[in-house]
Amino acid sequence: MQQHQSRTLGGRPQQQPQRLPRCPVLRSAGISRSRPIVHAEPTEGNQPDSGKLFGLIPLRARGENLDARIESGEFTDAGSTKEKLTRPLRQALAKEPIVGRPVARFLADLGRRWRSEAAKRMPEARGDIREIVGQPVFVPLYKLFLVYGKIFRLSFGPKSFVIISDPAYAKQILLTNADKYSKGLLSEILDFVMGTGLIPADGEVWKARRRAVVPALHRKYVASMVGMFGDCTVHGTATLDCAVASGQSIDMENYFSRLALDIIGKAVFNYDFDSLTHDDPVIQAVYTVLREAEHRSTAPLAYWNLPGATIVVPRQRRCQEALRIVNDTLDGLIDKCKKLVEEEDMEFNEEFLSDQDPSILHFLLASGDEISSKQLRDDLMTMLIAGHETTAAVLTWTLYTLASHPEATEAIRREVDEVLGDRAPNVEDFKSLRFTTRVINEAMRLYPQPPVLIRRALQEDKFDQYVVPAGSDLFISVWNLHRSPELWDEPDKFKPERFGPLDGPIPNEVTENFGYLPFGGGRRKCIGDQFALFEALVALAMLVRRYDFVLDTSKPPVGMTTGATIHTTGGLYMHVKKRDMSGLAAAVRRQETPAYAFAYGTSTVAAMASPASSSPAAVAGGGCPFHTGAAVPPPPPAAVAAASVTVGGATATLGGGVSIGPSAPAGPAGL
Ligand code: HEM
């Protein structure tokens, strides 16, 4: 790897980009409909909110600045400057045999020493933060990786970060020397929402919480969740059917965000957000808090720590209010579950699971784990956030990728037709849904969630010749690892076959020797990896089998922006059509009561073919929270004013806006 000199990244001010609301709920609720000016294919990104404060350089200009400077060779200047400066003198002296040659030899020795010292100094890019802020951070990091290689320091004034893009170094940080690292910056950023939950916690607290929480995701629990994934997916098809009937495109990123929220709410604390069919203050509050966590992870100034910021800054005031709503809701759920535990007559064992409430919260309380309500809340909040955005992003980018790979879509369908037919998957089916799993594995390689893992060195550590002092902040760029030309053949191409024969092991950090980290690795590896993979698999298998998804080309191209996970810049708008299954054998299209209906009782799979989904009300499309701002205008109010449609457990009153009635008990055929 070459040695490089420190450089200054500069930027020129240009026009200010339009702000883009990233919250799917806000977007779908039409609170702000602004669209980004600058759009990029998903190798670049768009301006998040923070770009407005700290940089006036639009994305393209920023990217081009960096590209132009890389091309100019300024970052590839290698070796010792002193050695280079003295080289012409040495060459001139070498021509003079009496005095010149001995001096030249002396200078050559010195030059060798300078070069070897320089080789021990880590390559360093000095920058103007404006060239990085405001675009997805992993994009410039990738460009710099291609020039600087597997380890380099990125410095902005007094701040600096070590960027790691090498599997062996990643393994050292995550596995072999894991006790030398903490979550550092991440704990500071997430403290306001996760406190000492598993993701930000370190040391003894982390050990204790991991010991307590991991057993809750036992085999039987995950198997029962698979049934719930199917139910939630089916519930969500009402919304897709609205889109089919109306002909309007639908923001599938928003859709998956809501699906994942509904699932994680039930899985973690047995709360039915039902965000797929309605909006309410709790859902809004959850999204406000999520967006704030992302905002804080991308903002270069921790202004919220300034005295009075939470009172004076409107955004921070809103965040405090949202936190209060979420905390109150969680406290209520904790109290309710405590009462259930007191009243129920269930013996606790390591596979404890209650039909009435199979949540992780129930397991934790029934286990007799003595923890404060605050710690419990921190744990629940952590899992809510960790398990929601990630899975939603994986589904979003998988579907996006499939849109340009019809052959993969067809292969998924063949597999699902054969293995499942029209029923939802159960946990046993995963052994057979191998190609579909590979598609998700490959989409997670191309779009890792999160794209960067953050650590702080608690002690000095060494990576080959490079010393990283205690206190250093390190970014393991999973994006760089997953797209490294040294590790992958045609790294930017979607090739699910790259992981070998389908009957081989499911790729993970061990099979790929830390070159593939979809769920991290080592002792802080994701505790929800199986849960999440099953969740994505159920949703993808069921939806791709039943619907055709086609990108809405009338919308701006899909670009990337980032918070904790990779978001699209303006939504993933797709036209949805029912798949033509007329050619399929009737036997495959049978409806049956699935064996998975374990913990969440009523299965709604049979409702997939319910005529209610094509009722006039559904055709109107106004009941979908997704369609409030869609391109095709809703029907005139008079036509829909009195219409109502029952969607799963909620009655949606149609009227051109999001006006959703309270949950009403509806049978499985409610769809
Ligand atoms: C596709 C979905 C998911 C992806 C891509 C994902 C990814 C990750 C990654 C990369 C890490 C490691 C972070 C680090 O080392 O800094 C992690 C940790 C974690 N994940 Fe997930 N995750 C997903 C779903 C879930 C779900 C569903 C849950 C909960 C049910 C969950 C709970 C956690 C927790 C608690 C941690 C912290 C573990 C620790 O530090 O001990 N994740 N996840």
Side-chain angles (χ1 to χ4, degrees):
M1 190 47 55
Q2 288 178 314
Q3 177 67 26
H4 305 281
Q5 305 296 306
S6 296
R7 294 291 163 192
T8 304
L9 305 169
R12 61 197 142 89
Q14 287 198 0
Q15 78 186 86
Q16 192 162 312
Q18 202 174 325
R19 270 174 92 123
L20 174 71
R22 279 174 294 153
C23 166
V25 170
L26 295 189
R27 226 168 24 217
S28 72
I31 289 170
S32 170
R33 307 295 313 159
S34 61
R35 314 295 305 166
I37 293 170
V38 184
H39 286 284
E41 292 306 310
T43 46
E44 299 180 287
N46 205 349
Q47 308 282 7
D49 294 345
S50 53
K52 196 165 186 182
L53 273 175
F54 295 94
L56 299 174
I57 317 166
L59 163 71
R60 279 224 183 274
R62 287 180 194 180
E64 279 161 14
N65 278 352
L66 194 57
D67 286 347
R69 294 176 59 225
I70 286 172
E71 266 166 39
S72 77
E74 93 177 65
F75 293 116
T76 47
D77 187 9
S80 155
T81 314
K82 281 186 280 186
E83 192 271 337
K84 261 187 231 128
L85 288 175
T86 51
R87 202 180 295 158
L89 176 66
R90 201 179 72 219
Q91 284 162 351
L93 285 169
K95 290 180 190 142
E96 201 287 305
I98 313 287
V99 185
R101 264 195 210 142
V103 179
R105 261 200 301 278
F106 171 75
L107 281 179
D109 284 348
L110 208 56
R112 266 192 291 279
R113 215 167 58 226
W114 285 335
R115 271 206 307 273
S116 95
E117 276 164 15
K120 283 187 206 143
R121 277 200 308 273
M122 196 179 290
E124 182 174 16
R126 287 195 173 275
D128 178 335
I129 199 156
R130 288 176 303 172
E131 272 201 332
I132 299 285
V133 168
Q135 53 179 322
V137 71
F138 54 87
V139 172
L141 290 190
Y142 185 66
K143 291 176 183 170
L144 291 169
F145 154 64
L146 294 178
V147 178
Y148 281 91
K150 56 190 184 180
I151 182 166
F152 63 92
R153 187 179 292 283
L154 185 64
S155 304
F156 302 108
K159 279 201 160 197
S160 87
F161 307 92
V162 176
I163 313 300
I164 302 283
S165 315
D166 176 74
Y169 295 170
K171 189 174 183 178
Q172 180 173 327
I173 297 167
L174 298 176
L175 185 70
T176 23
N177 287 356
D179 54 350
K180 289 190 176 177
Y181 294 92
S182 73
K183 287 292 182 93
L185 276 175
L186 201 69
S187 313
E188 289 161 15
I189 291 165
L190 296 177
D191 179 63
F192 81 104
V193 55
M194 294 190 193
T196 51
L198 258 184
I199 286 189
D202 282 309
E204 290 308 312
V205 176
W206 169 76
K207 266 190 205 149
R209 295 321 300 150
R210 181 127 184 156
R211 254 199 313 268
V213 177
V214 167
L217 287 100
H218 52 74
R219 193 190 48 83
K220 211 163 133 193
Y221 168 79
V222 174
S224 94
M225 289 301 111
V226 170
M228 185 263 286
F229 302 156
D231 279 349
C232 285
T233 305
V234 171
H235 185 60
T237 57
T239 304
L240 294 180
D241 289 343
C242 285
V244 173
S246 70
Q248 296 174 3
S249 64
I250 177 170
D251 178 2
M252 289 304 293
E253 181 179 41
N254 186 342
Y255 177 87
F256 285 134
S257 178
R258 288 164 183 261
L259 176 63
L261 182 63
D262 288 358
I263 286 176
I264 203 74
K266 287 183 179 179
V268 175
F269 34 71
N270 197 30
Y271 182 74
D272 189 1
F273 283 106
D274 196 11
S275 69
L276 272 165
T277 56
H278 84 302
D279 277 308
D280 72 15
V282 178
I283 296 170
Q284 291 287 356
V286 168
Y287 277 106
T288 303
V289 171
L290 285 172
R291 292 288 89 88
E292 182 59 20
E294 297 204 324
H295 169 68
R296 291 189 183 194
S297 64
T298 50
L301 251 188
Y303 68 89
W304 46 87
N305 287 335
L306 297 172
T310 51
I311 301 164
V312 177
V313 181
R315 174 185 189 114
Q316 296 305 321
R317 265 205 319 271
R318 281 196 300 276
C319 172
Q320 292 306 310
E321 174 57 15
L323 268 176
R324 192 192 55 72
I325 294 175
V326 177
N327 286 341
D328 287 352
T329 309
L330 290 181
D331 284 342
L333 291 168
I334 292 170
D335 287 346
K336 191 172 148 203
C337 192
K338 274 184 181 160
K339 279 199 195 90
L340 176 67
V341 171
E342 278 162 22
E343 287 161 13
E344 76 192 350
D345 188 19
M346 272 186 79
E347 203 174 305
F348 182 79
N349 61 35
E350 61 186 17
E351 289 213 319
F352 177 87
L353 192 70
S354 136
D355 281 5
Q356 194 185 344
D357 172 1
S359 68
I360 293 177
L361 170 62
H362 194 181
F363 181 97
L364 292 177
L365 288 174
S367 72
D369 189 19
E370 290 286 324
I371 44 161
S372 66
S373 293
K374 160 85 171 76
Q375 181 62 58
L376 202 48
R377 231 170 44 200
D378 288 348
D379 289 338
L380 300 180
M381 201 63 201
T382 299
M383 280 182 278
L384 173 70
I385 295 179
H388 165 235
E389 294 272 289
T390 44
T391 320
V394 166
L395 279 165
T396 300
W397 290 106
T398 304
L399 198 66
Y400 170 78
T401 308
L402 283 175
S404 52
H405 292 87
E407 73 296 343
T409 306
E410 279 316 307
I412 290 178
R413 285 176 168 172
R414 273 196 302 277
E415 185 172 83
V416 179
D417 288 340
E418 197 181 307
V419 176
L420 299 179
D422 210 20
R423 67 179 170 85
N426 62 49
V427 82
E428 286 303 311
D429 292 318
F430 291 106
K431 291 181 203 132
S432 312
L433 293 171
R434 288 179 173 269
F435 179 76
T436 313
T437 307
R438 285 295 163 85
V439 165
I440 296 170
N441 298 145
E442 176 68 345
M444 286 200 287
R445 184 188 67 80
L446 285 170
Y447 300 99
Q449 315 292 348
V452 169
L453 302 179
I454 299 176
R455 292 293 188 275
R456 180 169 291 157
L458 298 169
Q459 304 166 33
E460 181 183 289
D461 204 359
K462 215 173 160 202
F463 299 90
D464 293 324
Q465 72 270 39
Y466 301 122
V467 173
V468 170
S472 303
D473 286 312
L474 294 93
F475 288 178
I476 301 172
S477 173
V478 183
W479 178 277
N480 289 356
L481 286 169
H482 285 195
R483 293 195 182 226
S484 166
E486 281 180 25
L487 300 178
W488 309 95
D489 172 41
E490 299 187 290
D492 292 336
K493 282 218 172 126
F494 172 74
K495 292 167 80 173
E497 68 279 12
R498 71 169 71 246
F499 293 109
L502 287 182
D503 56 0
I506 293 178
N508 60 28
E509 79 284 8
V510 178
T511 63
E512 307 306 312
N513 206 8
F514 281 72
Y516 179 63
L517 299 173
F519 294 105
R523 65 187 195 182
R524 305 221 54 165
K525 183 177 172 175
C526 179
I527 64 168
D529 57 344
Q530 280 218 350
F531 177 110
L533 209 50
F534 288 171
E535 180 183 350
L537 206 51
V538 171
L540 192 71
M542 292 177 75
L543 296 181
V544 165
R545 180 173 190 273
R546 288 161 172 85
Y547 299 98
D548 292 324
F549 295 95
V550 179
L551 270 178
D552 181 349
T553 48
S554 72
K555 302 280 181 197
V558 177
M560 294 184 294
T561 182
T562 188
T565 55
I566 307 171
H567 294 280
T568 70
T569 43
L572 177 63
Y573 280 90
M574 300 192 104
H575 286 291
V576 189
K577 278 201 309 199
K578 292 240 177 179
R579 176 188 170 202
D580 177 7
M581 290 200 262
S582 52
L584 279 177
V588 187
R589 277 186 273 122
R590 72 190 180 278
Q591 290 178 6
E592 57 186 40
T593 307
Y596 69 80
F598 177 68
Y600 280 98
T602 332
S603 162
T604 42
V605 170
M608 291 299 297
S610 163
S613 60
S614 55
S615 70
V619 171
C624 304
F626 303 89
H627 283 119
T628 46
V632 182
V640 293
S644 81
V645 58
T646 304
V647 181
T651 301
T653 308
L654 305 176
V658 186
S659 171
I660 309 286
S663 269
L671 276 171

